[in-house]
C-alpha cells in the first residue's frame, strides 16, 4: 500500500516540476500545450489501480439471499469457496451486497454495520475472509439511500466512506445508483473514483448504473467494471437479453475495465442445466465478471460441474482480454467468437430455438484464414475432436443449448 501511495506522490511531484519548468523557461505555446497533454495523460493513468487485469471472479450475496444476509452467511460462503476448491479456480471475491448497514450513520457520520446481523463489524469479517486467502467486497450507493432503502447512500460522503472501506480492508466496491439527486452518473461516480484513490488502498471499483448512460463509453477512466444492463433474474429470457445488451459494447472491454451484464444465476433453480451451461458460456466468452449468485454452502454436483469448468474459466481469464462478439445470426442460431492468446479462437454456438438444430461456423466469420487446418477442443465434453477442420465447423445442438470450442490452427 505504501509503495502505491508513494508512486502517486512521486508522479504528482514530477508533474508539478515539469509545469514549473515550463513556466520559468517561457517556452512556446505549442510546447506548453504538449506538456499539458502529457500531464493530462499522466492524470488519466493515475486512475488505474492495477486491478482487474482479468475479469473478477467470486461471489455476491444478492441473487440468492437478497437482504437476508449476516456475518454467518458471509463466513460460511468464504469457508465453502475454500472447501469446494472454487477459490483455487479463481473465485476469490466474497462480496456483500445491499442491507449490511444501519439505517443511520454513527455520531461521527460514518457508515455503521447493522448491530443485529454484523455484530463483529466489517473489519473483523474482512480479517476472517483474508485469513482464508480470499478478498472481501462491499456495497454502497451514489445516492442518499441504497436501493433497498435500508441504509444510507454515499452521496456527499464519498471521501469519508472510501476511507472507512480502506480502513476495514475492503477489496471490492459495488457502487449502485438509487435515490440520487438526479445529477448524471458521469458526475457522481467519478467522485468516488477520486475518493478511492485518496484512501490509499487498491479497491476494485464496480460501477452499477444499469447501462443507462452507456457507461462502457466512459467507464474505463472511472472504474474497473461497469454494468451494461438492468438487474438479471433467474430465467432464460432475462439471461439471454442481458447477454445481448452486453455484447453491443464488446469493443470497450479490456484488461482493467470490463463490461458487466450482472451476476451469475447458475445454481438458483430457475433454468435447466443446458440453459445454465449457455449462461456460464456466454459470460465466460464475453469476459464478464464471474460472480456466483447461488448458495455456495449448499451447492449441487450439477452446479459444480458448470461453474468449476477450468477450460471455460480459462477463456474468461485469457490474458489477451478481448471480449467475443456475435459474428453470425441465423434466426435463433448464434455464432459467437473472439481471439485468445496463442493465435487461438474461442467459439460459442448457441441454439436459442425450441427445437434441435444443426448449424455451421465459418472461418471467414471468426477471423481464421480460409484454408487453415484447425484443431477443435470441445470445452464441455473435455476432449479434442479427432477430425481436423478446414473452412468451417458444423455441430448439432439441442434446444436452449450450446457448444463451446477453442480452435487452434495447426496447418
Amino acid at each position: 500500500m505504501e509503495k502505491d501511495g508513494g508512486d502517486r506522490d512521486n508522479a504528482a511531484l514530477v508533474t508539478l516540476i515539469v509545469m514549473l519548468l515550463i513556466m520559468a523557461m517561457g517556452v512556446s505555446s505549442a510546447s506548453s500545450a504538449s506538456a499539458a497533454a502529457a500531464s493530462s495523460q499522466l492524470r488519466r493513468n493515475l486512475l488505474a489501480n492495477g486491478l482487474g487485469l482479468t475479469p473478477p471472479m467470486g461471489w455476491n450475496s444478492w441473487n440468492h439471499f437478497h437482504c437476508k444476509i449476516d456475518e454467518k452467511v458471509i463466513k460460511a460462503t468464504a469457508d465453502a469457496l475454500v472447501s469446494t476448491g472454487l477459490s483455487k479456480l479463481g473465485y476469490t471475491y466474497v462480496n456483500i451486497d445491499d442491507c449490511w448497514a444501519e439505517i443511520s450513520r454513527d455520531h461521527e457520520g460514518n457508515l455503521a454495520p447493522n448491530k443485529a446481523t454484523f455484530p463483529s463489524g466489517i473489519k473483523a469479517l474482512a480479517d476472517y475472509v483474508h485469513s482464508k486467502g480470499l478478498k472481501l467486497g462491499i456495497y454502497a450507493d451514489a445516492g442518499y439511500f441504497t436501493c433497498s432503502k435500508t441504509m444510507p447512500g454515499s452521496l456527499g460522503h464519498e471521501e469519508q466512506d472510501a476511507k472507512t472501506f480502506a480502513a476495514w480492508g475492503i477489496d471490492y466496491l459495488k457502487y449502485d445508483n438509487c435515490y440520487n439527486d438526479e445529477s448524471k452518473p458521469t458526475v457522481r461516480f467519478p467522485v468516488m473514483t477520486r475518493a478511492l484513490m485518496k484512501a490509499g488502498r487498491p479497491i476494485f471499483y464496480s460501477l452499477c448504473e444499469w447501462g443507462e448512460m452507456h457507461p462502457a463509453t466512459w467507464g474505463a477512466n472511472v472504474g474497473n467494471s461497469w454494468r451494461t444492463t438492468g438487474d438479471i433474474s433467474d430465467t432464460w429470457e432475462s439471461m439471454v437479453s442481458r447477454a445481448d445488451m452486453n455484447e453491443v459494447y464488446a469493443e470497450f472491454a479490456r484488461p482493467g475495465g470490463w463490461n458487466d451484464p450482472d451476476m451469475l444465476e447458475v445454481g438458483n433453480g430457475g433454468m435447466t442445466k443446458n440453459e445454465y451451461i449457455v449462461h456460464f458460456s456466454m459470460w465466460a466468452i464475453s469476459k464478464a465478471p464471474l460472480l456466483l449468485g447461488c448458495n455456495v454452502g449448499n451447492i449441487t454436483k450439477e452446479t459444480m460441474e458448470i461453474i468449476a469448468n477450468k477450460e471455460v474459466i480459462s477463456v474468461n481469464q485469457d490474458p489477451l482480454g478481448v471480449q467475443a462478439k456475435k459474428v453470425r445470426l441465423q434466426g435463433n442460431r448464434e455464432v459467437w467468437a473472439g481471439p485468445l492468446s496463442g493465435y487461438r479462437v474461442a467459439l460459442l454456438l448457441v441454439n436459442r430455438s425450441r427445437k434441435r438444430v444443426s448449424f455451421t461456423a465459418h472461418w471467414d466469420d471468426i477471423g481464421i484464414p480460409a484454408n487453415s487446418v484447425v484443431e477443435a477442443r470441445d470445452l464441455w465434453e473435455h476432449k479434442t475432436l479427432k477430425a481436423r477442420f478446414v473452412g468451417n465447423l458444423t455441430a448439432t445442438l439441442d434446444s436452449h443449448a450450446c457448444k463451446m470450442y477453442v480452435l487452434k490452427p495447426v496447418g
Side-chain angles (χ1 to χ4, degrees), residues 182-371:
E182 299 188 2
S183 63
K184 293 181 179 180
T186 49
V187 173
R188 285 177 288 110
F189 281 76
V191 179
M192 182 56 82
T193 305
R194 293 187 288 271
L196 291 171
M197 288 166 57
K198 289 182 180 180
R201 178 181 177 84
I203 295 175
F204 186 102
Y205 185 26
S206 172
L207 316 179
C208 185
E209 62 87 86
W210 321 307
E212 291 185 349
M213 286 194 67
H214 309 288
T217 63
W218 51 267
N221 287 337
V222 179
N224 298 108
S225 68
W226 40 85
R227 277 279 292 280
T228 53
T229 73
D231 288 1
I232 195 172
S233 58
D234 190 16
T235 67
W236 170 259
E237 291 76 15
S238 174
M239 182 273 291
V240 294
S241 69
R242 267 73 189 153
D244 291 342
M245 288 185 277
N246 188 69
E247 187 267 346
V248 172
Y249 300 106
E251 66 187 275
F252 296 100
R254 61 182 64 89
W258 307 102
N259 293 316
D260 177 10
D262 206 4
M263 287 92 68
L264 292 162
E265 291 281 7
V266 182
N268 282 328
M271 289 183 258
T272 66
K273 180 179 181 180
N274 276 347
E275 289 172 341
Y276 279 138
I277 287 173
V278 173
H279 180 15
F280 195 72
S281 299
M282 281 181 160
W283 263 235
I285 203 168
S286 298
K287 301 297 186 288
L290 297 182
L291 297 175
L292 305 173
C294 61
N295 182 1
V296 182
N298 188 28
I299 204 162
T300 65
K301 181 181 178 182
E302 183 176 275
T303 297
M304 276 295 294
E305 288 175 355
I306 298 171
I307 63 175
N309 187 323
K310 295 179 182 180
E311 297 189 75
V312 175
I313 290 171
S314 71
V315 169
N316 179 261
Q317 296 291 297
D318 185 78
L320 194 60
V322 177
Q323 180 174 329
K325 295 183 178 183
K326 295 182 192 179
V327 296
R328 183 179 284 260
L329 302 176
Q330 298 171 285
N332 286 315
R333 295 171 291 178
E334 297 180 350
V335 180
W336 297 57
L340 300 173
S341 58
Y343 304 102
R344 299 169 302 143
V345 173
L347 173 66
L348 178 65
L349 307 179
V350 180
N351 176 15
R352 291 169 69 156
S353 76
R354 289 289 183 182
K355 59 182 180 180
R356 183 175 171 86
V357 296
S358 176
F359 58 106
T360 301
H362 299 274
W363 283 188
D364 58 355
D365 287 332
I366 61 181
I368 296 176
N371 295 322

Side-chain angles (χ1 to χ4, degrees), residues 18-19 22 30-40:
V18 168
M19 298 307 293
I22 290 170
S31 297
S32 296
S34 176
S39 177
S40 176

Side-chain angles (χ1 to χ4, degrees), residues 20-51:
L20 287 173
L21 285 172
I22 290 170
M23 293 171 63
M25 294 171 63
V27 294
S28 68
S29 59
S31 297
S32 296
S34 176
S39 177
S40 176
Q41 182 62 45
L42 177 60
R43 285 197 298 274
R44 285 199 296 272
N45 289 343
L46 288 177
L47 291 172
N49 54 18
L51 302 176

